[in-house]
Amino acid sequence: MRTALAAVTALAVLGLSGCGDDSTGRPAAAGRIDGQLTVLAAASLTESFTRIGQDFETAHPGVRVILTFAGSSALANQINEGAPADVFASAAPANMAAVIEAGNGDGDPVTFARNQLVIAVPEGNPDAVTGLHDLTRLGAKVALCAEQVPCGAVACRALDAAGVALTPVTLERDVKAALAKVRLGEVDAALVYRTDVRAAAEDVDGIEFPESAEAINEYPIVVLKDTANRPTARAFVEYVRSDAGRGVLTAAGFQAP
């Protein structure tokens, strides 16, 4: 299955690289910030990295940024199976560590943001949820991310800190999929990131709970060893960490590293 995922990703990237004119389809010349850049990023970065990618292209007209979003564990597996990419941004150090330990990083990862869980409920909070204990008291149907995904691992830590034993009705592949269950009315609540609730504010409310402070995720980013466009990849990482990139992340609800 992992090999198949890597193959699909590789084909998708190759297909995308054939689109557009030659100036954006070729790797950058040595030392130049130019050419095509493939960034694999955690699903919770979808809105902010889409904006950052657009801003980076505007700042560097010869660059074309291709973004792929998924659960960090799936992306780490794809990288380690040989999927072509230039930059990896993970929602947790553990998934980044898997890539670094496999020898697929170019240098040390750097933390660029932090994120915190909230309880996502339908707009208006019809069940008057105020914390994790309410989810068990009400017998609520709850969606969590799978434990190997950063949002699932951090949810387990938060539940342990609260002393709450919760049996989810579904375990999802990434945080966007967990949130979608609430938006579609398939569950009563989900544990997701604050940033994802902010992005879906028209459909859901976010309930803060104190135990989330015990389980905050750090987001690392790294240039990948086999990048075909090292100067541009390094420039992108620096842009994410710049005042401009940090401004986008802060507006999305991320905390400073």
Side-chain angles (χ1 to χ4, degrees), residues 127-159:
D127 292 326
V129 173
T130 61
L132 293 177
H133 290 276
D134 287 337
L135 299 179
T136 55
R137 178 179 59 80
L138 296 167
K141 293 186 294 183
V142 179
L144 298 179
C145 296
E147 192 170 351
Q148 68 268 27
V149 181
C151 63
V154 76
C156 289
R157 296 205 305 270
L159 290 165

Side-chain angles (χ1 to χ4, degrees), residues 72-100:
S72 296
S73 57
L75 294 175
N77 287 338
Q78 290 174 22
I79 291 166
N80 289 342
E81 290 286 345
D86 303 295
V87 175
F88 175 42
S90 173
N95 305 106
M96 179 62 74
V99 170
I100 300 303

Side-chain angles (χ1 to χ4, degrees), residues 21-244:
D21 60 31
D22 289 341
S23 66
T24 58
R26 293 196 301 261
R32 289 182 57 189
I33 301 174
D34 197 0
Q36 183 170 288
L37 188 73
T38 299
V39 178
L40 305 186
S44 51
L45 292 165
T46 299
E47 293 80 14
S48 53
F49 262 42
T50 297
R51 171 64 187 276
I52 286 173
Q54 293 168 347
D55 291 347
F56 187 73
E57 288 179 338
T58 299
H60 303 285
V63 174
R64 181 182 179 210
V65 179
I66 296 176
L67 294 156
T68 296
F69 300 103
S72 296
S73 57
L75 294 175
N77 287 338
Q78 290 174 22
I79 291 166
N80 289 342
E81 290 286 345
D86 303 295
V87 175
F88 175 42
S90 173
N95 305 106
M96 179 62 74
V99 170
I100 300 303
E101 289 168 5
N104 289 320
D106 179 24
D108 295 328
V110 290
T111 299
F112 65 92
R114 304 166 80 222
N115 212 348
Q116 195 161 345
L117 290 183
V118 297
I119 304 168
V121 297
E123 186 182 17
N125 190 13
D127 292 326
V129 173
T130 61
L132 293 177
H133 290 276
D134 287 337
L135 299 179
T136 55
R137 178 179 59 80
L138 296 167
K141 293 186 294 183
V142 179
L144 298 179
C145 296
E147 192 170 351
Q148 68 268 27
V149 181
C151 63
V154 76
C156 289
R157 296 205 305 270
L159 290 165
D160 287 345
V164 172
L166 184 65
T167 302
V169 297
T170 181
L171 293 170
E172 296 298 321
R173 67 185 183 277
D174 60 47
V175 70
K176 296 296 186 185
L179 184 62
K181 294 294 184 180
V182 181
R183 300 178 78 172
L184 294 170
E186 296 178 9
V187 299
D188 303 307
L191 295 187
V192 301
Y193 296 120
R194 182 183 289 162
T195 53
D196 295 291
V197 167
R198 184 173 295 192
E202 293 183 358
D203 301 318
V204 299
D205 288 343
I207 309 303
E208 301 278 349
F209 59 97
E211 295 85 2
S212 67
E214 304 296 323
I216 296 175
N217 269 9
E218 294 186 344
Y219 282 56
I221 189 169
V222 74
V223 174
L224 294 172
K225 181 190 70 175
D226 292 334
T227 175
N229 195 347
R230 186 164 282 101
T232 305
R234 289 177 175 171
F236 182 83
V237 170
E238 288 307 310
Y239 189 86
V240 169
R241 301 176 66 209
S242 71
D243 289 343

